[in-house]
Amino acid sequence: MDTPDVRYELFRHRPARADIGRAEVATTLRFACAGTLGQTVGAASVPVLEVPTGCARSAERLARQITDLFEIPVVRPSSESLRIVARVPELARRTRLCDGTGRWVRGLPPSVVAGDDAALAGAWRAAFLAAGALGGRGRAGLELTCPSPETAMALTGAARRLGVAALTRPGTHGDRVVVRDHADVRAVLGLIGAPRAAQAWTPDLRRGTGEAPVSGALHDANRERASQAAATTTRRVQALLADPPAGVPDRLLATGLLRARNPELSLQELGRLANPPMTKDAIAGRLRRLLEYADRAHPGG
């Protein structure tokens, strides 16, 4: 599993809500246009925004989103770029890339940063399509190269709200946002709309600079206990799904099926794969209530 595989899966993803699509457009423009937003002007002072995407499928996806969400026409001067003429100010205002005073934001718009988990995941999805990679710089993990420190900070904060550990690192070509923990990488992939990649991804530690996680005895013991508890829960859930008691709510059965199909994932990772995404506490609560139905149906069993 490598970066092109993830991109292929993400290209097929369709946002469930308009605000998620708007978050994707705003993030894509921030990455694609970098410091040129609001500065490119054509003849007769008509604003012209050139958007180099570097990929024909990215250009096609962005053109469709701008047209569908904002009803703003775009021109395709090449297979890997877009051009927006005259209505640049309108697009800037509606994506919140331009604030009320007419100044362009340096990071991501406040409407994106303050969005819910689905909107934050949309921003991360757009960022990965624009400048993401698995195993960046020969190391196991996930990496984004950001156009500004403010953008890197916004994405790091978004990851924190989503329960993922991400760090900001300075780089030659811009600040980088990196996710190193293997479980967090899988969680991010599932969250942004690449569940197949999340399940198939394994860190490539054969590269000389790859780093394996360093864990102490306590960490190993905790992980082992969590693994045993997950295995026990999975076996009980599988038994219940084979002959579900009457009256079990569909939402609990759906969570049980998610656990049964992904026995190796943590509660946090299961939450990322849920639709809509949930916290690990919410997943644990649903599984607990599901097993209570099994206990009532088979007391002492």
Side-chain angles (χ1 to χ4, degrees), residues 109-150:
S111 58
V112 174
V113 176
D116 63 10
D117 286 0
L120 296 176
W124 261 84
R125 178 166 47 252
F128 188 92
L129 284 172
L134 286 177
R137 301 183 184 275
R139 302 179 65 184
L142 182 151
E143 179 176 300
L144 304 175
T145 301
C146 298
S148 68
E150 294 84 358

Side-chain angles (χ1 to χ4, degrees), residues 32-235:
C33 300
T36 65
L37 287 172
Q39 297 178 9
T40 305
V41 178
S45 297
V46 175
V48 177
L49 181 62
E50 298 283 352
V51 186
T53 64
C55 170
R57 296 194 68 179
S58 291
E60 178 183 354
R61 190 172 191 270
L62 180 60
R64 182 176 62 249
Q65 288 181 314
I66 292 176
T67 302
D68 292 347
L69 293 170
F70 304 102
E71 299 182 350
I72 292 178
V74 298
V75 179
R76 294 279 296 275
S78 72
S79 63
E80 300 180 358
S81 66
L82 304 180
R83 179 180 298 154
I84 304 167
V85 182
R87 297 178 68 178
V88 175
E90 178 186 350
L91 180 61
R93 287 192 300 269
R94 295 178 64 182
T95 56
R96 302 295 191 270
L97 283 167
C98 184
D99 64 20
T101 66
R103 293 178 301 182
W104 292 73
V105 300
R106 293 181 57 82
L108 295 180
S111 58
V112 174
V113 176
D116 63 10
D117 286 0
L120 296 176
W124 261 84
R125 178 166 47 252
F128 188 92
L129 284 172
L134 286 177
R137 301 183 184 275
R139 302 179 65 184
L142 182 151
E143 179 176 300
L144 304 175
T145 301
C146 298
S148 68
E150 294 84 358
T151 306
M153 291 176 60
L155 288 169
T156 302
R160 187 181 305 113
R161 286 182 53 193
L162 293 169
V164 172
L167 301 174
T168 301
R169 293 286 183 264
T172 304
H173 302 290
D175 282 40
R176 296 178 293 124
V177 174
V178 296
V179 179
R180 294 298 181 212
D181 182 81
H182 302 166
D184 281 339
V185 172
R186 287 192 292 270
V188 169
L189 293 176
L191 182 68
I192 65 178
R196 293 181 181 178
Q199 293 181 355
W201 182 80
T202 55
D204 184 2
L205 298 178
R206 293 171 297 177
R207 299 169 180 172
T209 54
E211 295 181 351
V214 178
S215 303
L218 180 60
H219 178 76
D220 289 340
N222 289 338
R223 183 181 292 273
E224 179 63 23
R225 283 194 293 270
S227 177
Q228 291 175 355
T232 300
T233 299
T234 300
R235 286 194 296 270

Side-chain angles (χ1 to χ4, degrees), residues 10 15 99 177 272 281:
L10 294 182
D99 64 20
V177 174
R272 299 292 177 265
D281 290 337

Side-chain angles (χ1 to χ4, degrees), residues 251-274:
R251 66 181 183 280
L252 300 187
L253 291 175
T255 302
L257 187 61
L258 192 65
R259 165 46 83 198
R261 289 177 173 175
N262 302 277
E264 78 287 355
L265 298 186
S266 67
L267 293 175
Q268 187 178 63
E269 292 172 300
L270 286 181
R272 299 292 177 265
L273 293 180

